[in-house]
Amino acid sequence: MWTLHEVDGQDAQLLDAYVEAANTVVVDTWGVTDFCRNAREVAGSLRDQQYELKWRRVALDEVGTAVGYAALNLPLQDNTHTGYLEVGTIPAARRRGIGSALYDEVLAAAKAQGRTKVTTSTDQTVEPPAGVNTLAASTGEGRVAADDAPVRFVTSRGWQLEQVERRSVLDVPLDPEILAKHRAAAEQVAGDEYRVVTWTDHCPEEWLDQFAILQTRMSTDVPTGGLDWGEEAWDGPRVRAREAEFADRGLGYLTAAAEHIPTGTLAGYTSFLVVPHTDEYVHQHDTLVIREHRGRRLGMLLKAANLQRLPQELPNVRRIGTWNAEENAPMLAINIDLGFRPAGGAGEWQLDLV
Ligand SMILES: CC(C)(COP(=O)(O)OP(=O)(O)OC[C@H]1O[C@@H](n2cnc3c(N)ncnc32)[C@H](O)[C@@H]1OP(=O)(O)O)[C@@H](O)C(=O)NCCC(=O)NCCS
């Protein structure tokens, strides 16, 4: 038998159990530790809940071994109709109803908070080719295998596949000459109205309001498939709050942004999220060029510029991982040009709660 326990980051034993269960599930799914987390990082993520309510549970068996976990993030400032949930059971404890029990609790929590929709992801290490036993996203791009355990878990509970994301991995360091060529070719198209500005962790005060606008546009100017996700309202204090949260979690954040010189505004940005559990891997976080400035190779310019910082600032990094919607052809094309290779992906699912 098992019992479910609330994890609020204060109780070190429950926190460690939660981290262990979540790490066991991701290592089993992916075969690598790139997505692992540590207790400090998870505790830090739970401390500040002014923009998101973060609900966590861990399942312990009768001798106290962590056998499963559930997480629910509920936006509090915008998108208050929805929430993102995760449920995982360690491989040795599957098919005993633990996933279902965690799922029932997490869904009840979302409903109790008045949410009318929830979203979740099912990871896959290979995207299946089109054919029988596959499900296609409502976007028409990307597939998942219908008989994968997580896919069966959600389809049998009425979830709809609204988007498929591709995961891509780039081995670094890249040849500096190739990177310089990518940057120069992009600069040639962009012309002399743009220049790259970079920062680490702390957005310079002069760009704070502009960066907040870009964060808002990150919620409206990227493909979201059939997922019901509206504009996020970002301002300077919200950017600063996230910076403080990242610092608390031990995360680094390397950003390159494109200034449009004639207007003194920012046209786009790209960021690396530097994780605390390893120095060999970083996440390629957001990349955005706002609609008004597209078609000028700014996406490549920004990515090449941020990659050029790596050998000096993070010399031990050997892999960068990223996620893109399968229908996001322009972003995928840039990544493929840079040498990113497909490495699986995820189905993005939504459930109507009313
Ligand atoms: C999906 C997952 C949480 C299920 O956990 P679990 O503890 O095995 O779940 P349960 O024992 O409650 O099983 C629930 C139902 O899921 C489905 N299911 C789970 N594993 C399955 C499998 N290998 N084959 C077919 N159906 C499966 C079945 O409908 C099952 O009900 P049943 O046992 O009565 O047939 C687990 O496989 C997991 O952690 N996967 C990785 C994380 C993930 O992708 N989570 C889903 C998105 S949030």
Side-chain angles (χ1 to χ4, degrees):
M1 221 15 228
W2 66 87
T3 45
L4 304 187
H5 303 262
E6 183 181 348
V7 179
D8 61 5
Q10 306 290 323
D11 181 314
Q13 252 179 322
L14 289 174
L15 178 66
D16 285 345
Y18 174 89
V19 172
E20 193 189 320
N23 285 347
T24 303
V25 171
V26 289
V27 170
D28 173 68
T29 301
W30 292 101
V32 293
T33 58
D34 292 349
F35 297 109
C36 284
R37 304 180 66 188
N38 64 30
R40 174 196 163 181
E41 193 259 302
V42 174
S45 77
L46 295 178
R47 245 184 300 273
D48 181 355
Q49 305 207 10
Q50 62 175 313
Y51 294 98
E52 256 185 336
L53 192 152
K54 296 159 188 170
W55 177 105
R56 304 288 183 265
R57 291 289 182 278
V58 63
L60 302 179
D61 70 8
E62 51 287 333
V63 293
T65 304
V67 287
Y69 77 100
L72 175 67
N73 282 17
L74 299 173
L76 294 174
Q77 307 276 326
D78 40 55
N79 290 293
T80 52
H81 62 290
T82 192
Y84 178 80
L85 68 82
E86 251 178 62
V87 172
T89 304
I90 66 163
R94 286 183 186 162
R95 302 307 292 273
R96 291 188 213 151
I98 297 171
S100 300
L102 286 161
Y103 176 84
D104 290 346
E105 276 229 2
V106 76
L107 214 59
K111 285 181 183 162
Q113 293 290 327
R115 306 294 150 141
T116 54
K117 299 252 165 71
V118 272
T119 58
T120 194
S121 309
T122 55
D123 293 337
Q124 55 187 10
T125 49
V126 178
E127 186 177 321
V132 282
N133 271 340
T134 62
L135 298 174
S138 59
T139 56
E141 301 288 336
R143 289 163 303 277
V144 299
D147 50 10
D148 262 5
V151 171
R152 289 173 73 143
F153 188 83
V154 293
T155 52
S156 66
R157 287 164 172 78
W159 291 69
Q160 300 296 317
L161 182 60
E162 301 292 4
Q163 193 174 46
V164 170
E165 293 218 64
R166 184 188 303 179
R167 175 162 172 76
S168 307
V169 173
L170 178 68
D171 296 315
V172 293
L174 292 179
D175 179 339
E177 272 182 40
I178 293 177
L179 208 45
K181 273 189 195 155
H182 279 305
R183 182 166 179 171
E187 274 169 345
Q188 208 166 15
V189 179
D192 53 14
E193 289 201 340
Y194 297 92
R195 91 176 139 221
V196 175
V197 291
T198 61
W199 65 83
T200 300
D201 299 337
H202 186 83
C203 176
E205 200 58 36
E206 61 172 312
W207 295 121
L208 186 62
D209 292 339
Q210 280 294 309
F211 192 50
I213 291 171
L214 291 185
Q215 296 293 309
T216 300
R217 297 286 293 270
M218 187 70 206
S219 62
T220 58
D221 286 18
V222 299
T224 48
L227 298 166
D228 182 358
W229 188 254
E231 183 175 290
E232 290 178 14
W234 284 78
D235 54 13
R238 187 166 178 178
V239 171
R240 291 288 183 237
R242 193 179 61 171
E243 287 175 354
E245 181 195 317
F246 281 179
D248 194 18
R249 294 165 66 181
L251 296 168
Y253 195 63
L254 266 62
T255 301
E259 177 189 0
H260 181 235
I261 300 165
T263 55
T265 60
L266 293 184
Y269 74 105
T270 188
S271 299
F272 290 128
L273 193 62
V274 185
V275 294
H277 72 275
T278 173
D279 57 1
E280 285 186 11
Y281 171 79
V282 296
H283 291 302
Q284 165 66 62
H285 202 239
D286 298 343
T287 300
L288 174 73
V289 175
I290 58 175
R291 292 185 200 284
E292 305 86 293
H293 293 278
R294 288 188 183 163
R296 296 179 179 85
R297 305 291 291 160
L298 294 179
M300 175 58 94
L301 174 60
L302 288 166
K303 282 209 155 176
N306 226 20
L307 282 164
Q308 283 178 323
R309 302 171 66 185
L310 281 185
Q312 225 178 354
E313 297 192 35
L314 298 168
N316 294 331
V317 174
R318 293 294 170 268
R319 286 181 313 288
I320 299 170
T322 191
W323 296 87
N324 306 106
E326 275 292 3
E327 68 273 24
N328 194 348
M331 190 77 259
L332 287 168
I334 292 169
N335 288 342
I336 290 165
D337 266 5
L338 283 166
F340 277 88
R341 56 186 155 81
E348 303 298 332
W349 304 78
Q350 187 165 265
L351 180 70
D352 228 321
L353 295 180
V354 287

